[in-house]
Amino acid sequence: MAKPKIALYWAASCGGCDVAVLDTNEKILDIANIADIVFWPIALDFKYHHVEAMDDGAIDLCLFNGAIRNSEHEKVAKLLRAKSKVMVAFGACACFGGIPALGNFTNRAEIFERAYIEAPSNANSDGTFPQIVTKVNGHELELPEFFDTVLTLPQVVAVEYFVPGCPPPVDLILKTVNLFATGQLPPVGAVIASEKTLCDECERVKEEKKISKIWRPHEIISDPERCLLEQGIICCGPATRGGCGLRCINANMPCRGCFGPPPGVLDQGAKLVSAIASIYEGDKSEEEIARMVEEVVDPAGTFYRFGLADSMLKRKRLVQA
Ligand code: SF4
Ligand code: SF4
Ligand code: SF4
């Protein structure tokens, strides 16, 4: 009997999700034993035309990591969607936009200005920007179009499952492949992680303490037994889905929210703001609240580090010229 076919792809990605698949170590051989890997740009020399030549639905499982930042990502997402029976948004960037979607606080014009004009290492006195089409010696060279707005994978194509994390932990990767291999995948739309919040899984001592000051992790020596948020360190646990094995907490670092919102939460950042406000102890005067807000260094990046594209905000408002 023919083995099922698996594809892996990276769009706007740092490569960490692909490395996480390799981090399964010898288990990668088990994956290769149960399935044929028919497309994996980071590891195998397949080309887009090999995928284009496949019948629709010929790929049984596609693990797609990375956000959609340009027209090439969008084109390959649509191609893989057509060719795949089961499409998985794999990793925080594909699920929620992830780190690349912090670019939604700016736009293409500002990013190009910074990258190609202002950056101190540039020598670009002509002010040349990348073009979608460039004519050279009678030939045309093409580059993908860089979008103004970073999108999540499900904002571009239908997705059956979500495997969160930056990157997804090895045990969740193996669980996903195992569920697929044994025909036990959950109902379509499921997030393959925990149904609890990270706080529900965290065994640190919680004393329902209020806070009156916010600290950055390097500014205090935190108690490794007590809740970090109750020590004044912003921890995204109350607004984050569990299932990561408390990777950061066990290293005495606060959660940054890479598993996305827990079930029933529409906007992870808003939920976190609400959680912090509920334990804030102060006179609640405008001055006091302003002081506390000032203590949050990079609030947008703190509350929407992984989820801006997927949030109610989605991006900074674009003003048309
Ligand atoms: S989710 Fe994290 S590890 Fe995966 S591509 Fe995005 S930034 Fe990299
Ligand atoms: S806020 Fe962080 S440290 Fe506190 S219980 Fe939740 S996950 Fe644990
Ligand atoms: S503790 Fe938070 S940021 Fe760290 S891996 Fe888990 S969900 Fe991601």
Side-chain angles (χ1 to χ4, degrees), residues 102-280:
L102 289 171
N104 289 357
F105 283 119
T106 174
N107 60 23
R108 174 176 46 210
E110 289 175 1
I111 291 169
F112 276 20
E113 186 71 19
R114 177 67 193 150
Y116 297 104
I117 306 290
E118 295 171 2
S121 56
N122 278 340
N124 182 9
S125 52
D126 295 340
T128 305
F129 289 124
Q131 303 297 315
I132 297 173
V133 177
T134 306
K135 292 199 168 129
V136 182
N137 298 333
H139 299 281
E140 282 193 353
L141 300 176
E142 285 186 27
L143 283 177
E145 180 190 355
F146 189 94
F147 293 158
D148 254 329
T149 300
V150 176
L151 301 167
T152 69
L153 181 63
Q155 286 168 348
V156 174
V157 294
V159 164
E160 272 80 21
Y161 300 105
F162 300 81
V163 179
C166 179
V170 165
D171 61 339
L172 270 195
I173 297 172
L174 293 173
K175 180 178 175 184
T176 305
V177 174
N178 192 41
L179 289 170
F180 162 73
T182 55
Q184 296 181 72
L185 281 167
V188 166
V191 180
I192 300 178
S194 168
E195 290 300 300
K196 298 177 176 175
T197 68
L198 194 73
C199 285
D200 289 335
E201 297 180 346
C202 179
E203 292 181 349
R204 287 188 176 232
V205 177
K206 293 154 222 160
E207 302 163 295
E208 302 202 356
K209 281 209 163 163
K210 301 276 183 188
I211 58 171
S212 56
K213 174 158 177 59
I214 289 172
W215 302 93
R216 300 182 77 188
H218 66 276
E219 290 176 330
I220 58 167
I221 297 175
S222 60
D223 181 338
E225 306 295 328
R226 288 181 50 226
C227 169
L228 290 159
L229 195 52
E230 291 187 0
Q231 296 179 68
I233 298 169
I234 294 181
C235 178
C236 302
T240 299
R241 184 183 286 270
C244 70
L246 297 154
R247 284 188 292 194
C248 304
I249 307 298
N250 289 341
N252 205 26
M253 288 299 289
C255 172
R256 297 305 192 192
C258 79
F259 263 51
V265 171
L266 198 57
D267 189 301
Q268 188 181 22
K271 174 77 179 168
L272 185 57
V273 171
S274 158
I276 292 172
S278 71
I279 63 163
Y280 168 68

Side-chain angles (χ1 to χ4, degrees), residues 12-18 65-66 90-94 98-100 165-168 306:
S13 154
C14 73
C17 281
D18 286 293
N65 76 77
F90 186 79
C93 294
I99 300 296
C166 179
F306 295 100

Side-chain angles (χ1 to χ4, degrees), residues 280 285-295:
Y280 168 68
S285 64
E286 277 191 28
E287 294 75 28
E288 192 55 16
I289 291 170
R291 178 191 64 74
M292 189 134 171
V293 169
E294 280 296 307
E295 286 173 359

